[in-house]
Amino acid sequence: MGINFIDGQLFELTGKLVSCVVSVLIVYRFFDNKYLRVYRSKSIYVGIKIVGCLANVGIYLLNNALSNISFWIMFILLISQCFYFDEGENKIKYYFTNVAFVFSCSICEAIGGAFVWAWIQIAHLAPSETMLSFANNIGGAASTIFLYYLILKRLFISEKTRKISVGQYTIYVAVTSCVLINIGEILFFFKFDFSSKDYIFLMIDMVFVILINLYLFYVMDAVAENKELRYKLALYEQQAKSNYDYYIRQIESNKTVMGVMHDLRKHMRVMEGLKQYGELQELQDYVNSFEDMISPLLMRKYCNNVILNTILTDKAGYCEKNSIHFQLDIQNVDIDFMKPIDITTLFGNVLDNAIEACAKTDEKQISLKIYPFNQFVYIQLTNSFDKKIKCDNKGRPLSDKGKYHGIGLENVENVLRDYNGHIQFTVEEHIFFVEIMFSHP
């Protein structure tokens, strides 16, 4: 083999440096994705990344597994204590999760090394010890990047991570495959008698490929986060619009209340006068008219839960004003275990969708049934419709209003996951059925 001792040492040192840099950056990426920063200054975190990389390289050069493990445990506990925090997590669980993540990264790195070793055996290669160390470090770095974004992120940061798309998965596999193929090619080229410059070029090429790999994965992750933020923004806009519509209805209702209160004494005097003159029939008619006028202002009682009762009263009033027949059948069910925001999300979204669909039909009908079923709460909502309904691959009806419309149902599904729930959609002639079951978590 044409590579000399000095070049071999340079390869080994470069491989360890790349491995250390990738490990530290992956760890900080994990902390930034999962937790909140203690300090606002970005320069502080750039500084501790540099210090972490240099310290990791120094420990790594000792070639002592115990020192390496001890360094990572102390390093993780230090940044967990001083630079990041999580308000909602138990401290013991917080530290344990972070240490477990580092050990998981070590396993991912070992998988890459095992893959390199398997390739050497299959290809019947015989690289020197320094070249084998370089290949193992580069392969371990590549597999750590790949498995972090594919598995570890979804295992340790599942609550903040959306499902990986097929396109994104394909790019992950393609990029990592290119890296591993390059490693195999370099090991193969070591069989030939190249000059030192040629070997150095191969080393720089391999390092460059790893850095490009890390950058591409980072960019794709940032794009996915940006998509998630735009999705959440659309949800907030939808919720804001719903709140705006509710407040507009409340303003109209308050105007009616003020009108009734302004003329209340006049109404009382008229009724007293009719009573004094014995005009009983006219008095009864006047009382009935007065009751009809104030009845929309009264809170109807459909159930014992205040939040749900408010929602049902609001939707029933809207249906009455827009000539929509709204039939309710609510038995003695207890949903007080649900968070108020979850009740609003669940019932507000499905009822809004039903009202919007049947408002375009000639037979405007909505039926809502809520009753207990064993240990579950069962909900059946039906509404009339007159257009053909398109559904996605999960059976959810698709909105015809364009991007980010109809996302309320996905929000409903997110709520139901917290209550062991399930939602199902069916269509029979011109009636759309929504069936929901959930229980106490």
Side-chain angles (χ1 to χ4, degrees), residues 137-233:
N137 285 323
I138 295 297
S143 65
T144 301
I145 296 170
F146 175 72
L147 294 175
Y148 168 73
Y149 285 101
L150 187 67
I151 297 176
L152 295 188
K153 187 178 179 185
R154 281 146 187 84
L155 182 64
F156 286 89
I157 325 175
S158 57
E159 70 277 6
K160 297 183 179 180
T161 307
R162 291 177 63 80
K163 283 187 176 181
I164 184 172
S165 66
V166 176
Q168 193 174 355
Y169 174 79
T170 303
I171 295 175
Y172 285 170
V173 173
V175 172
T176 305
S177 298
C178 289
V179 174
L180 296 178
I181 290 173
N182 277 331
I183 294 173
E185 290 176 346
I186 289 177
L187 290 172
F188 179 76
F189 287 142
F190 284 151
K191 295 172 62 175
F192 301 98
D193 191 12
F194 290 158
S195 67
S196 295
K197 291 183 178 180
D198 294 328
Y199 287 119
I200 298 301
F201 173 79
L202 291 175
M203 179 189 70
I204 295 175
D205 174 66
M206 194 67 258
V207 172
F208 179 76
V209 168
I210 284 292
L211 295 179
I212 289 295
N213 184 22
L214 182 63
Y215 177 75
L216 286 176
F217 276 59
Y218 176 84
V219 169
M220 287 188 290
D221 194 49
V223 169
E225 288 181 0
N226 183 51
K227 183 178 179 181
E228 173 72 7
L229 290 174
R230 285 189 282 113
Y231 175 83
K232 289 182 178 180
L233 178 60

Side-chain angles (χ1 to χ4, degrees), residues 308-320:
L308 178 56
N309 196 72
T310 302
I311 295 172
L312 295 177
T313 300
D314 179 55
K315 303 305 179 186
Y318 180 86
C319 289
E320 187 174 346

